[in-house]
Amino acid sequence: MTVNDILKYPEFTVVNQEDDRAVEKVFCCDLLSIAMAKAPEDSVWVTVMSNRNVIAVASLADVSCVVLAEGYSYDDDAIEAAKGKVTLLKTDLPIYEAAVKIGAEL
């Protein structure tokens, strides 16, 4: 599965598109220190955190993309920081439902 495969579902929209990376796992976490230590490389990170620090952690963890769930929006600083680095998606789905939808295709 790749990031573009996720975009086939109407529940997911792109905010910032970078490379169409492979997706191997789904990771859910809203605590940056845990995400920094445990987010698997090539995973989709589903969260409700939307600030610039999420982009830094996503880059360090080398995740395939970040999905902002629950209908939240990324702040402008996060979107700007993601350019050239991290693909950002968003959805109105709750975190669990977004993760299950993506995970079912893996």
Side-chain angles (χ1 to χ4, degrees):
M1 170 178 223
T2 68
V3 172
N4 283 344
D5 292 328
I6 297 168
L7 293 172
K8 292 177 185 174
Y9 297 111
E11 297 90 350
F12 297 92
T13 57
V14 68
V15 175
N16 182 65
Q17 179 80 47
E18 297 301 327
D19 297 333
D20 183 28
R21 292 187 49 185
V23 172
E24 296 180 7
K25 295 182 179 188
V26 179
F27 179 74
C28 301
C29 184
D30 292 325
L31 191 58
L32 291 173
S33 59
I34 292 175
M36 193 178 334
K38 297 194 176 221
E41 183 178 324
D42 297 325
S43 66
V44 172
W45 176 15
V46 185
T47 184
V48 294
M49 295 180 46
S50 62
N51 62 42
R52 179 181 201 97
N53 295 331
V54 170
I55 309 311
V57 171
S59 294
L60 286 171
D62 199 22
V63 299
S64 297
C65 69
V66 178
V67 175
L68 188 61
E70 308 276 352
Y72 287 99
S73 296
Y74 294 96
D75 64 33
D76 291 337
D77 285 342
I79 295 169
E80 189 62 34
K83 291 180 180 173
K85 297 177 186 159
V86 179
T87 295
L88 303 178
L89 309 179
K90 69 178 190 171
T91 183
D92 289 333
L93 293 172
I95 291 172
Y96 175 78
E97 290 179 28
V100 167
K101 188 156 200 83
I102 296 166
E105 296 298 316
L106 292 176

